[in-house]
Amino acid sequence: MKTGHFVSRLGIFAAVFASLLLLPGRALAHAVLVSSSPSAHASVKGPEIAIHLKFNSRIDGAHSRLYLVGPDGKVKTLVLEVQSAPDALSAQSIKLGAGEYIIRWQALASDGHITRGEIPFTVQ
């Protein structure tokens, strides 16, 4: 094997290895929900429910959304409060009757990627 070939292959290996090291860092920049109120599958007392979501990274509140799916399947867009922290989304307290609900969230993280999820909960 010629020395030039070896150096070329070593360069390719180093580039691939470096890119693999960078991938986990990019994935961590996505917004991942770390806690919520109400929490997933929680049973809460109504009728006033405050909604608060906390993520693992900064969220663009102007381009993020919260929706509420009611027991009848109707979807309502929730009004977001001014962000209390760069990694949180909150909605105004809402009056809910007893039943099963789902919070659908859509968050735009600082890396420019949108992540989505659902939080089912029950109002007593």
Side-chain angles (χ1 to χ4, degrees), residues 14-42:
V16 169
F17 184 73
S19 66
L20 290 174
L21 288 177
L22 294 176
L23 284 176
R26 295 188 79 200
L28 289 175
H30 287 40
V32 175
L33 184 68
V34 293
S35 66
S36 68
S37 177
S39 60
H41 307 289

Side-chain angles (χ1 to χ4, degrees), residues 5-79:
H5 239 123
F6 176 76
V7 171
S8 176
R9 287 185 178 185
L10 183 61
I12 292 170
F13 175 78
V16 169
F17 184 73
S19 66
L20 290 174
L21 288 177
L22 294 176
L23 284 176
R26 295 188 79 200
L28 289 175
H30 287 40
V32 175
L33 184 68
V34 293
S35 66
S36 68
S37 177
S39 60
H41 307 289
S43 183
V44 297
K45 289 189 175 189
E48 292 288 332
I49 307 295
I51 296 174
H52 183 78
L53 282 64
K54 181 170 175 50
F55 296 88
N56 68 333
S57 65
R58 298 176 68 88
I59 301 298
D60 180 346
H63 295 95
S64 298
R65 302 285 181 263
L66 292 178
Y67 304 97
L68 182 69
V69 182
D72 57 359
K74 290 184 180 176
V75 180
K76 176 182 177 184
T77 302
L78 299 176
V79 177

